[in-house]
Amino acid sequence: MESTGCVVVGGGPAGMMLGLLLARAGVEVTVLEKHGDFLRDFRGDTVHASTIRLIDELGLGTEFRGLPQSRLRNVAFPTPGGGLVTLGNFAALRPPYNYIAMMPQWDFLNFLARAAEQEPTFTLLMEHKARSLMSDGGRVTGIRYVTKDGTEGALRADLVVATDGRHSVLRQAAGLKSKEYPVPFDTWWFKLPRAESEQGEVAGIVPAFGDRDAVIALFR
């Protein structure tokens, strides 16, 4: 049976960053991602200043800044009188961490994967879907998985980390209950093409409000 020091289930930002950090620390780590690539739409295409600082500390800042991205420097709300109220002014922070980077999340995940794969203790298994936990005497000892072609396997690990999203298979298998906090609104998420005049760097986000609706445009 295969074994590793830590198995991380889910190749999102949390799972990929954890895998990179553990590998940098010399821990044998295996990340499982059920899809064949990272090309999926996300609603959180932001990399915050604290994460950018961490990327610099890892020595990856030059490659990160070479990725296609725009910089968000403030968030403002319009007022009834026609003015603006700035709720978040990231430009006031100390450079070079005075912005939020806006980029497609698949670019960020591929960037983390490339960096992690340089570490000898890191393994990324694509198209590997976790199905259940393995346990011994009440202690979790690994996971069972299935590949795209239906091959089943098992992976022993000293530590299992579930980063497989809001509908986590492993959280359910462990009997852990999540807390849900409903909000009194719905969100419609859609894409529109950018005009030639909108190709420059983004300075901020200003929502547009109706009677009961709001529109926020995020440049990707």
Side-chain angles (χ1 to χ4, degrees):
M1 182 181 296
E2 301 172 277
S3 64
T4 186
C6 175
V7 59
V8 180
V9 176
M16 293 304 300
M17 181 62 81
L18 177 60
L20 171 59
L21 294 176
L22 289 175
R24 280 289 184 94
V27 176
E28 186 180 5
V29 55
T30 301
V31 177
L32 268 66
E33 168 55 41
K34 65 181 180 180
H35 296 96
D37 54 45
F38 299 118
L39 292 174
R40 295 175 300 286
D41 278 327
F42 299 89
R43 289 178 290 179
D45 292 349
T46 58
V47 183
H48 289 250
S50 57
T51 304
I52 298 173
R53 180 189 295 272
L54 173 60
I55 290 170
D56 280 345
E57 292 173 352
L58 292 171
L60 302 171
T62 299
E63 182 182 352
F64 173 78
R65 288 173 177 81
L67 298 175
Q69 60 187 270
S70 58
R71 295 186 175 187
L72 174 64
R73 299 191 183 278
N74 61 68
V75 176
F77 277 24
T79 63
L84 293 174
V85 174
T86 300
L87 296 185
N89 182 19
F90 312 115
L93 299 175
R94 182 178 300 176
Y97 309 111
N98 57 344
Y99 66 94
I100 291 177
M102 306 286 294
M103 68 171 61
Q105 187 164 296
W106 52 78
D107 284 345
F108 184 60
L109 294 177
N110 281 319
F111 159 74
L112 294 178
R114 287 193 301 271
E117 287 170 346
Q118 300 303 310
E119 305 301 322
T121 59
F122 178 86
T123 301
L124 175 61
L125 299 178
M126 304 297 288
E127 297 182 325
H128 281 59
K129 182 179 181 180
R131 301 186 66 178
S132 62
L133 292 169
M134 296 191 302
S135 61
D136 183 11
R139 178 181 178 275
V140 174
T141 59
I143 58 100
R144 293 183 177 86
Y145 64 84
V146 61
T147 63
K148 182 181 179 180
D149 62 6
T151 301
E152 297 185 355
L155 183 60
R156 289 193 177 276
D158 298 322
L159 176 66
V160 176
V161 181
T163 59
D164 50 339
R166 70 190 68 182
H167 304 298
S168 171
V169 172
L170 297 191
R171 183 177 64 239
Q172 297 177 18
L176 302 175
K177 295 183 179 180
S178 61
K179 292 184 178 180
E180 296 186 1
Y181 300 91
V183 291
F185 62 83
D186 295 316
T187 301
W188 287 6
W189 186 260
F190 56 92
K191 293 185 289 185
L192 294 173
R194 294 174 65 179
E196 288 297 325
S197 61
E198 299 175 313
Q199 297 302 315
E201 185 174 286
V202 179
I205 290 179
V206 180
F209 289 95
D211 292 335
R212 299 185 62 183
D213 307 302
V215 174
I216 300 176
L218 302 176
F219 291 83
R220 295 176 51 173

